[in-house]
Amino acid sequence: MSAPSALVFATNNPSKITDLSAMTQSAGVELLTLADLGLVCIPEETGGTFEANALIKARAVAALAPNYTVVADDSGLCIDALDGAPGVDSAIFMGEDTPYSVRNAEILRMLASAENRAARFVCVIAAVFPDGRDCTTRATIEGQIALAPAGENGFGYDPIFFVPHLGKTIAELTQEDKNAISHRGKAFREMLKVMKASEFK
Ligand code: ITT
């Protein structure tokens, strides 16, 4: 079996598209966006878990594009000192229109006296196939909340997510280096493997 030659990515976040495009190009898979298909889909993320929300997004778009394999990403930053917050609410933490510079500064303030700065990015990729079946893959990257923001690349919380073995924040990495180690890179590569190995159609 082989992976589908085209995937529809059920996201409204252009930065996620940038992350995945680099990987689909090298895997020889065409990545179609909602805009490519003229679709508008903004489902309510009421699932409460990364898996449930990723499936909600993938199924909502699959209902509009039933002949395609649809993938969706639900992801977030989980900070130990904040009991896992912002977690599944990462996109809406402090309000979805609040600039990340403000959100990141607030997280640094909240952690000002924290001894434990451990955090992880979590990503679940859900896929829904034309035959109606679905599956998910999950991956994380472990790190630390930095003492100050650094770097201009990436998006969201990348400037405050420090990767100890590289001595850099994710925002200081190239696209290729981010994808090699990131929650999204690992979860998506795993999904491509599952698709190649399985009888999903
Ligand atoms: P879609 O639901 O349309 O895909 P979204 O951005 O709303 O887009 P999520 O609900 O999955 O997606 O929220 C993910 C949030 O987690 C994202 O908006 C960022 O705040 C954060 N996040 C996830 N991955 C990230 C990454 O690689 N770098 C920085 N922040 C990330």
Side-chain angles (χ1 to χ4, degrees):
M1 288 293 162
S2 57
S5 57
L7 296 173
V8 178
F9 191 13
T11 185
N12 292 295
N13 182 332
S15 301
K16 289 183 179 179
I17 296 172
T18 304
D19 281 2
L20 248 59
S21 302
M23 291 184 281
T24 49
Q25 265 169 28
S26 55
V29 175
E30 188 183 8
L31 191 69
L32 299 168
T33 64
L34 298 182
D36 290 333
L37 299 185
L39 298 176
V40 175
C41 187
I42 310 176
E44 261 197 83
E45 296 183 32
T46 53
T49 65
F50 293 112
E51 275 78 6
N53 284 340
L55 282 166
I56 285 172
K57 291 185 266 194
R59 285 186 186 129
V61 169
L64 303 174
N67 297 325
Y68 288 95
T69 297
V70 178
V71 292
D73 163 312
D74 200 63
S75 47
L77 175 64
C78 302
I79 301 173
D80 286 356
L82 303 180
D83 293 327
V88 289
D89 293 328
S90 293
I92 56 172
F93 173 66
M94 295 179 71
E96 60 185 335
D97 294 330
T98 303
Y100 278 94
S101 55
V102 175
R103 303 193 216 188
N104 287 338
E106 176 60 10
I107 288 174
L108 296 188
R109 193 196 62 74
M110 291 166 88
L111 264 65
S113 58
E115 277 177 23
N116 178 5
R117 304 184 74 86
R120 65 203 53 75
F121 273 120
V122 178
C123 176
V124 169
I125 300 287
V128 174
F129 300 89
D131 68 7
R133 285 189 286 175
D134 56 53
C135 66
T136 59
T137 56
R138 165 187 276 249
T140 59
I141 175 172
E142 298 288 330
Q144 301 274 323
I145 299 302
L147 295 171
E152 303 290 329
N153 301 334
F155 69 101
Y157 303 101
D158 284 343
I160 59 165
F161 193 91
F162 184 76
V163 185
H165 76 276
L166 298 177
K168 290 178 179 175
T169 69
I170 293 188
E172 293 178 295
L173 301 181
T174 63
Q175 178 73 66
E176 197 183 351
D177 288 347
K178 175 179 178 179
N179 277 345
I181 59 164
S182 78
H183 50 316
R184 180 164 300 106
K186 292 190 280 188
F188 186 64
R189 280 192 297 275
E190 182 61 25
M191 178 57 79
L192 288 178
K193 260 195 228 163
V194 170
M195 287 176 177
K196 273 190 194 145
S198 73
E199 79 285 15
F200 289 124
K201 289 192 204 72

